[in-house]
Amino acid sequence: FNKIARYTDKLTDTYLINAKLLKKSYSNDDAWTCYRIGEAFSNIGQISRAINYYKQAVTLAPYVLDFKNKYGVALAANNLLPNAEKEFSEILKENPKHVSALTNLGFVKLRQGNVKEAELIYYKALALDPDYEALLLNIAGLCAYKKDFKQAETYLNRLLKQHPNNAQAKQALQQIKQYI
């Protein structure tokens, strides 16, 4: 990842995005390259730079919903919640059963203070995929936020049954034990 960062530092993000990585094609080669560079920057915590590459990936391949989803996640991580909400909503117009987009939209709604709306979105996603790791963690967080620690424990245990090495779930379970 650092190698990609050094390479893009030499050429500048603007140059790469505006002069090199701009070809639309059936194979989406440039879109995939942008996506991978976005992933690299995201993994080293350079979210602002990742956003630029995810955005270009979406521009080049607007119907690859996973590109839009990663772009939305990066926007949310950069506290650009209305923009992230727009991306997730567009995904759900294309595919209303996109569990990751539903989960991410629920998270955005919760961060915006729309607890009821977040809860409805989470339960819609849960009906589609009752074992989705990020969703179970988010629902447990929502339950803890609502001080329903017993229900949070249920979701965390369910998550750990499917994914026993999930460190976030283990930590969250330890944190809520004192309230049960």
Side-chain angles (χ1 to χ4, degrees), residues 126-174:
L126 192 62
L128 295 168
D129 187 351
D131 296 322
Y132 185 57
E133 194 171 1
L135 173 62
L136 291 172
L137 196 58
N138 284 9
I139 290 176
L142 174 64
C143 292
Y145 175 79
K146 293 172 54 180
K147 304 208 183 310
D148 187 352
F149 299 109
K150 196 68 177 156
Q151 190 65 32
E153 179 186 39
T154 300
Y155 283 114
L156 290 169
N157 284 329
R158 184 165 148 188
L159 171 63
L160 288 168
K161 186 175 182 181
Q162 297 292 322
H163 307 278
N165 296 323
N166 187 304
Q168 284 181 290
K170 288 178 182 178
Q171 182 182 7
L173 196 56
Q174 285 298 98

Side-chain angles (χ1 to χ4, degrees), residues 44-94:
I44 61 171
Q46 293 187 22
I47 303 301
S48 295
R49 291 182 78 184
I51 286 171
N52 295 327
Y53 287 96
Y54 287 140
K55 182 178 180 180
Q56 183 69 358
V58 169
T59 298
L60 296 174
Y63 299 107
V64 179
L65 300 183
D66 289 336
F67 290 176
K68 289 181 85 64
N69 196 45
K70 283 290 186 158
Y71 179 44
V73 167
L75 290 167
N78 220 28
N79 211 30
L80 299 167
L81 300 180
N83 303 59
E85 181 179 358
K86 176 183 169 281
E87 294 301 318
F88 300 134
S89 296
E90 286 178 8
I91 293 168
L92 294 168
K93 283 179 189 168
E94 282 294 316

